[in-house]
Amino acid sequence: GAGVSQSPSNKVTEKGKDVELRCDPISGHTALYWYRQSLGQGLEFLIYFQGNSAPDKSGLPSDRFSAERTGGSVSTLTIQRTQQEDSAVYLCASSLGGPGETQYFGPGTRLLVL
Amino acid sequence: KQEVTQIPAALSVPEGENLVLNCSFTDSAIYNLQWFRQDPGKGLTSLLLIQSSQREQTSGRLNASLDKSSGRSTLYIAASQPGDSATYLCAWMDSSYKLIFGSGTRLLVRP
């Protein structure tokens, strides 16, 4: 069956522009997660959704970052007024039930802010 | 600060060797602990998930153990193969369901 998909796979943008990253979880998975992997740094948790709700948004790096999920399926991560330090690989994952279950990751979106 | 430390940072072994990857974490109140592998340019693949009430999990040539009291987990890979070459990441989930990752161990298995 289809795994987690993310689009675009690569994104190059200019500093100050807004970008929107998309995640399509595995069909039927109720939980969805966003992570960021910066060059030379580890994976950083950003936010997770249970259904359409995000119980904890404290992982988002700044108020320029926002995320939403609609219909219990697709999620978008939006970064406003991008900065060079936002350059990273943004990974999305989903799990069937609650967050304690195995997470299945997408291939990521590689974002480069010039 | 919640931290995960993985040792060694890099490892190169000849094919066929058994090897152990180490992970230590600072908080004993974990929800679960997971091991992932990451291949270059790709996302993460979940290998094993150990719930906080469990001591170990096995899948094929992989065995992961969890000792909450000492804050340690180990991933044992038996009879390593070149296809095992990847970065192995340890992550523990806290009570608010955040996964906290280590920086990984880069494994190279030489034919």
Coordinates of all heavy atoms in Angstrom, one line a residue, chain A residues 33 35 37 42-45 48 56 58-59 91 99-108 110, chain B residues 31-32 34 36 38 41-46 49 51 89 93 96-103:
Chain A
Y33 N 2.7 13.6 12.4 CA 3.7 14.3 13.0 C 4.6 15.0 12.0 O 4.8 14.6 10.9 CB 4.7 13.3 13.8 CG 3.9 12.2 14.5 CD1 3.4 11.1 13.8 CD2 3.7 12.3 15.9 CE1 2.8 10.1 14.5 CE2 3.0 11.2 16.6 CZ 2.6 10.2 15.8 OH 1.9 9.2 16.5
Y35 N 8.5 16.8 11.8 CA 9.9 16.9 12.3 C 10.8 17.7 11.4 O 10.5 17.9 10.2 CB 10.5 15.5 12.5 CG 9.8 14.6 13.4 CD1 8.8 13.7 12.9 CD2 10.1 14.5 14.8 CE1 8.2 12.8 13.7 CE2 9.5 13.6 15.6 CZ 8.5 12.8 15.1 OH 7.8 11.9 15.9
Q37 N 15.0 18.2 10.3 CA 16.3 17.7 10.4 C 17.2 18.7 9.8 O 17.3 18.8 8.5 CB 16.4 16.3 9.8 CG 17.8 15.6 10.0 CD 17.8 14.2 9.6 OE1 17.1 13.8 8.6 NE2 18.5 13.3 10.3
G42 N 20.4 17.0 15.0 CA 19.5 15.8 15.0 C 18.1 16.2 14.6 O 17.8 17.3 14.2
L43 N 17.3 15.2 14.7 CA 15.9 15.4 14.3 C 15.2 16.1 15.5 O 15.3 15.8 16.6 CB 15.2 14.0 14.1 CG 15.2 13.5 12.7 CD1 15.2 12.0 12.7 CD2 14.0 14.1 12.0
E44 N 14.4 17.1 15.1 CA 13.7 17.9 16.1 C 12.2 17.8 15.9 O 11.7 18.0 14.8 CB 14.1 19.4 15.8 CG 13.4 20.4 16.7 CD 13.8 21.8 16.2 OE1 14.4 22.0 15.1 OE2 13.5 22.8 16.9
F45 N 11.5 17.4 16.9 CA 10.0 17.3 16.9 C 9.4 18.7 16.8 O 9.8 19.7 17.5 CB 9.5 16.7 18.2 CG 8.0 16.7 18.4 CD1 7.2 15.7 17.8 CD2 7.5 17.7 19.1 CE1 5.9 15.7 18.0 CE2 6.1 17.8 19.3 CZ 5.3 16.8 18.8
Y48 N 2.5 17.5 16.6 CA 1.7 16.3 16.2 C 0.3 16.5 16.3 O -0.2 17.3 17.1 CB 2.2 15.1 17.1 CG 1.2 14.6 18.1 CD1 0.2 13.6 17.8 CD2 1.2 15.0 19.4 CE1 -0.6 13.2 18.7 CE2 0.4 14.5 20.4 CZ -0.6 13.6 20.0 OH -1.5 13.1 20.9
D56 N -0.3 19.9 21.3 CA 0.9 20.6 21.8 C 1.6 21.2 20.6 O 2.1 20.5 19.8 CB 1.8 19.6 22.5 CG 3.1 20.2 23.1 OD1 3.3 21.5 23.0 OD2 3.8 19.6 23.8
S58 N 4.1 23.5 21.2 CA 5.3 24.2 21.7 C 6.6 23.8 21.0 O 7.6 24.5 21.1 CB 5.5 23.8 23.2 OG 5.6 22.4 23.3
G59 N 6.5 22.8 20.2 CA 7.7 22.4 19.4 C 8.0 23.3 18.2 O 9.1 23.2 17.6
L91 N 10.4 16.4 7.8 CA 9.9 15.1 7.7 C 8.5 15.0 8.3 O 8.2 15.6 9.4 CB 10.8 14.1 8.4 CG 12.2 13.9 7.7 CD1 13.1 13.2 8.7 CD2 12.0 13.0 6.5
P99 N -0.1 8.2 19.6 CA 1.3 8.5 19.3 C 2.3 7.5 19.8 O 3.4 7.5 19.4 CB 1.5 9.8 20.0 CG 0.4 9.8 21.1 CD -0.8 9.1 20.5
G100 N 1.8 6.5 20.6 CA 2.7 5.5 21.1 C 3.0 4.4 20.2 O 3.7 3.5 20.5
E101 N 2.3 4.5 19.0 CA 2.5 3.4 18.0 C 3.6 3.7 17.0 O 4.1 4.8 17.0 CB 1.2 3.2 17.3 CG 0.0 2.7 18.3 CD -1.2 2.3 17.5 OE1 -1.2 2.1 16.3 OE2 -2.3 2.2 18.2
T102 N 4.0 2.7 16.3 CA 5.0 2.8 15.3 C 4.7 4.0 14.3 O 3.6 4.1 13.8 CB 5.2 1.5 14.5 OG1 5.6 0.5 15.4 CG2 6.3 1.7 13.4
Q103 N 5.7 4.8 14.1 CA 5.5 6.0 13.2 C 6.2 5.6 11.8 O 7.3 5.1 11.8 CB 6.1 7.2 13.8 CG 5.5 7.7 15.0 CD 6.0 9.0 15.6 OE1 6.6 9.8 14.8 NE2 5.8 9.2 16.9
Y104 N 5.5 5.9 10.8 CA 5.9 5.7 9.4 C 6.3 7.0 8.8 O 5.4 7.9 8.7 CB 4.9 4.9 8.6 CG 4.6 3.5 9.2 CD1 3.6 3.4 10.2 CD2 5.3 2.4 8.8 CE1 3.4 2.1 10.7 CE2 5.0 1.2 9.3 CZ 4.1 1.0 10.3 OH 3.8 -0.2 10.8
F105 N 7.5 7.1 8.3 CA 8.0 8.4 7.8 C 7.9 8.5 6.3 O 8.0 7.5 5.6 CB 9.4 8.6 8.2 CG 9.6 9.0 9.7 CD1 9.4 8.2 10.7 CD2 9.9 10.4 10.0 CE1 9.6 8.6 12.0 CE2 10.0 10.8 11.3 CZ 9.9 9.9 12.3
G106 N 7.6 9.8 5.9 CA 7.7 10.1 4.5 C 9.2 10.4 4.1 O 10.0 10.4 5.0
P107 N 9.4 10.6 2.8 CA 10.8 10.9 2.3 C 11.3 12.3 2.7 O 12.5 12.5 2.5 CB 10.7 10.7 0.8 CG 9.2 11.0 0.5 CD 8.4 10.6 1.7
G108 N 10.4 13.2 3.1 CA 10.9 14.5 3.5 C 10.8 15.5 2.4 O 10.7 15.2 1.2
R110 N 13.1 18.8 1.2 CA 14.3 19.4 1.5 C 14.1 20.9 1.1 O 13.9 21.3 0.0 CB 15.4 18.8 0.6 CG 16.8 19.1 1.0 CD 17.8 18.3 0.2 NE 17.6 16.9 0.4 CZ 18.2 16.1 1.3 NH1 19.0 16.7 2.1 NH2 18.0 14.9 1.4
Chain B
Y31 N 7.8 7.0 27.6 CA 6.5 6.4 27.2 C 6.9 5.1 26.4 O 6.3 4.1 26.5 CB 5.7 7.4 26.3 CG 4.3 6.9 26.0 CD1 3.3 7.1 26.9 CD2 4.0 6.3 24.8 CE1 2.0 6.7 26.6 CE2 2.8 5.9 24.5 CZ 1.7 6.1 25.4 OH 0.5 5.7 25.1
N32 N 7.8 5.3 25.4 CA 8.4 4.2 24.7 C 9.8 4.6 24.1 O 10.2 5.8 24.2 CB 7.5 3.6 23.6 CG 7.2 4.6 22.5 OD1 8.1 5.4 22.1 ND2 6.0 4.7 22.0
Q34 N 12.3 3.9 20.6 CA 12.2 3.4 19.3 C 13.6 3.5 18.6 O 14.4 4.4 18.9 CB 11.2 4.2 18.4 CG 9.8 4.1 19.0 CD 8.8 4.9 18.2 OE1 8.8 4.8 16.9 NE2 7.9 5.7 18.8
F36 N 15.3 3.5 14.8 CA 15.1 3.8 13.4 C 16.4 3.6 12.6 O 17.5 3.8 13.1 CB 14.6 5.2 13.1 CG 13.3 5.5 13.8 CD1 13.2 6.0 15.1 CD2 12.1 5.4 13.1 CE1 12.0 6.3 15.7 CE2 10.9 5.8 13.7 CZ 10.9 6.2 15.0
Q38 N 18.1 5.3 9.0 CA 17.9 6.3 7.9 C 19.0 6.1 6.9 O 20.2 6.1 7.1 CB 18.0 7.7 8.5 CG 17.7 8.8 7.5 CD 17.7 10.2 8.1 OE1 18.3 10.5 9.1 NE2 16.8 11.1 7.6
G41 N 19.5 10.4 2.1 CA 18.5 11.1 1.2 C 17.1 10.5 1.4 O 16.2 10.9 0.6
K42 N 16.9 9.7 2.4 CA 15.6 9.1 2.6 C 15.0 9.4 4.0 O 15.7 9.9 4.8 CB 15.6 7.6 2.3 CG 16.0 7.2 0.9 CD 16.0 5.7 0.7 CE 16.3 5.4 -0.8 NZ 16.3 3.9 -1.0
G43 N 13.8 9.0 4.1 CA 13.2 9.2 5.5 C 13.6 8.1 6.4 O 14.5 7.3 6.1
L44 N 12.9 8.0 7.5 CA 13.3 7.0 8.5 C 12.4 5.8 8.4 O 11.3 5.9 8.0 CB 13.1 7.6 9.9 CG 14.2 8.5 10.5 CD1 14.3 9.8 9.7 CD2 13.9 8.8 12.0
T45 N 13.0 4.7 8.7 CA 12.3 3.4 8.8 C 12.3 2.9 10.2 O 13.4 2.8 10.8 CB 13.0 2.4 7.8 OG1 13.0 2.9 6.5 CG2 12.2 1.0 7.9
S46 N 11.2 2.6 10.8 CA 11.1 2.1 12.1 C 11.6 0.7 12.1 O 11.2 -0.1 11.3 CB 9.7 2.2 12.6 OG 9.6 1.7 13.9
L49 N 10.2 -1.0 18.3 CA 9.6 -0.1 19.3 C 9.4 -0.9 20.6 O 8.9 -2.0 20.6 CB 8.2 0.4 18.8 CG 7.4 1.4 19.7 CD1 6.5 2.2 18.8 CD2 6.6 0.7 20.8
Q51 N 7.9 -0.7 24.4 CA 7.0 0.1 25.3 C 7.8 0.2 26.6 O 8.6 -0.6 27.0 CB 5.7 -0.6 25.5 CG 4.9 -0.7 24.2 CD 4.4 0.6 23.6 OE1 4.5 1.6 24.3 NE2 3.8 0.6 22.4
L89 N 19.2 5.6 14.4 CA 18.7 6.6 15.3 C 17.9 6.0 16.5 O 17.0 5.1 16.2 CB 17.9 7.6 14.6 CG 18.6 8.5 13.6 CD1 17.6 9.1 12.6 CD2 19.5 9.5 14.2
M93 N 10.1 8.6 23.6 CA 8.9 9.4 23.6 C 8.6 9.8 25.0 O 8.6 8.9 25.9 CB 7.8 8.6 23.0 CG 6.5 9.4 22.9 SD 5.2 8.6 22.0 CE 5.7 8.9 20.3
S96 N 4.4 13.7 26.9 CA 3.6 14.5 26.0 C 3.7 14.1 24.6 O 3.3 14.8 23.7 CB 4.0 16.0 26.2 OG 5.4 16.2 25.7
Y97 N 4.2 12.9 24.4 CA 4.2 12.2 23.0 C 5.2 12.9 22.1 O 5.1 12.7 20.9 CB 2.8 12.2 22.4 CG 1.8 11.5 23.3 CD1 0.6 12.2 23.6 CD2 2.0 10.3 23.9 CE1 -0.3 11.6 24.5 CE2 1.1 9.7 24.7 CZ -0.1 10.4 25.0 OH -1.0 9.8 25.8
K98 N 6.2 13.6 22.6 CA 7.3 14.1 21.7 C 8.3 13.0 21.6 O 8.8 12.4 22.6 CB 7.9 15.3 22.4 CG 7.0 16.5 22.4 CD 7.8 17.7 23.0 CE 6.9 18.9 23.1 NZ 7.6 20.1 23.7
L99 N 8.8 12.8 20.4 CA 9.9 11.9 20.2 C 11.2 12.7 20.2 O 11.3 13.7 19.5 CB 9.8 11.2 18.8 CG 9.3 9.8 18.7 CD1 9.3 9.3 17.3 CD2 10.0 8.8 19.6
I100 N 12.1 12.3 21.1 CA 13.4 13.0 21.2 C 14.5 12.1 20.7 O 14.7 11.0 21.2 CB 13.6 13.3 22.7 CG1 12.5 14.2 23.2 CG2 15.0 14.0 22.9 CD1 12.3 14.3 24.7
F101 N 15.2 12.6 19.7 CA 16.1 11.8 18.9 C 17.5 12.0 19.3 O 17.9 13.1 19.7 CB 16.0 12.1 17.4 CG 14.8 11.5 16.7 CD1 13.6 12.2 16.7 CD2 14.9 10.3 16.0 CE1 12.5 11.7 16.1 CE2 13.8 9.8 15.4 CZ 12.6 10.4 15.4
G102 N 18.3 10.9 19.2 CA 19.8 11.0 19.3 C 20.3 11.5 18.0 O 19.6 11.6 17.0
S103 N 21.6 11.7 18.0 CA 22.3 12.2 16.8 C 22.7 11.0 15.8 O 23.1 11.3 14.7 CB 23.5 13.0 17.1 OG 24.4 12.3 17.9

